Amino acid sequence: MDGTLTAPGTKLKSGEAAVTHTNTGKDKADPKYTEAVFTSTLTGVVAGTPDDFAKFKDAAKFAGQTPYFVSVSHRMDSLSKASLGISEPRVTAQLKDGSDAQSLIVFGAFDQCKSTRFDTTGTGDSLTLVVGSTMVSCQVFLAPAGDEIKSVEYSDSKFIYAKYGDNPYLKNPISWTK
């Protein structure tokens, strides 16, 4: 694969890029195994308001929470073989005390949180993601009232190693601060 991965434990500011990766499967001999390398950049951490939950039928469940919209841009630098079945690197968000903020899975979209997809090319079985294309992943995280998102981390959790403990980013994630 092209690109030297950003070292575990690297500290970055919002807007600075890291070289990250993902894969599908753990056995490189598997014909479906695919690796991708990305240039990933934290592009935004925006606090919402409790009013953002008003359109939810269970809005009361989010009382005392503030949504944060975390956007990361990914450019696909390389792909080991034609594939649609690979996803972008995922990030987590941390609160002031360093604990992980709760991720909110939303079906639909918030106006403040727009995601885009990688370009594709080909048709049928030859349909694939385009190396060099970019996408934006916007994720929603929750912070208790009075708290806030202070950092965003890439711990390489989407890359499958032969052994879980082989992942050097688990204990030393790449982190971005605002």
Side-chain angles (χ1 to χ4, degrees):
M1 299 299 306
D2 298 343
T4 300
L5 298 177
T6 299
T10 298
K11 308 273 187 236
L12 302 166
K13 295 281 186 197
S14 181
E16 294 182 318
V19 178
T20 58
H21 64 165
T22 63
N23 68 354
T24 57
K26 64 181 178 180
D27 183 358
K28 290 185 179 189
D30 183 332
K32 294 182 181 178
Y33 181 86
T34 306
E35 286 185 26
V37 174
F38 307 87
T39 297
S40 301
T41 307
L42 176 67
T43 57
V45 177
V46 177
T49 69
D51 292 341
D52 292 322
F53 299 122
K55 64 182 173 184
F56 291 8
K57 66 181 174 186
D58 57 351
K61 177 170 111 172
F62 299 101
Q65 300 283 324
T66 301
Y68 276 80
F69 307 104
V70 175
S71 296
V72 180
S73 172
H74 302 282
R75 182 185 70 224
M76 182 171 289
D77 296 333
S78 64
L79 188 60
S80 64
K81 67 179 182 184
S83 177
L84 285 177
I86 199 145
S87 62
E88 73 276 5
R90 290 297 203 179
V91 297
T92 57
Q94 289 67 45
L95 301 169
K96 288 190 266 189
D97 68 359
S99 64
D100 283 345
Q102 180 182 350
S103 177
L104 180 64
I105 297 172
V106 178
F107 297 100
F110 283 97
D111 291 339
Q112 314 86 318
C113 195
K114 301 288 184 189
S115 293
T116 62
R117 304 302 326 152
F118 290 112
D119 294 337
T120 59
T121 189
T123 59
D125 290 343
S126 64
L127 187 63
T128 187
L129 298 173
V130 174
V131 172
S133 67
T134 60
M135 59 96 52
V136 173
S137 173
C138 185
Q139 293 176 256
V140 182
F141 293 94
L142 301 176
D147 208 339
E148 65 182 303
I149 301 298
K150 293 302 277 185
S151 64
V152 174
E153 293 181 346
Y154 163 78
S155 63
D156 201 22
S157 63
K158 293 293 271 186
F159 196 91
I160 302 166
Y161 291 85
K163 295 180 190 166
Y164 187 74
D166 289 346
N167 179 350
Y169 295 90
L170 286 177
K171 291 185 180 177
N172 292 305
I174 296 169
S175 64
W176 287 270
T177 55
K178 299 190 293 178

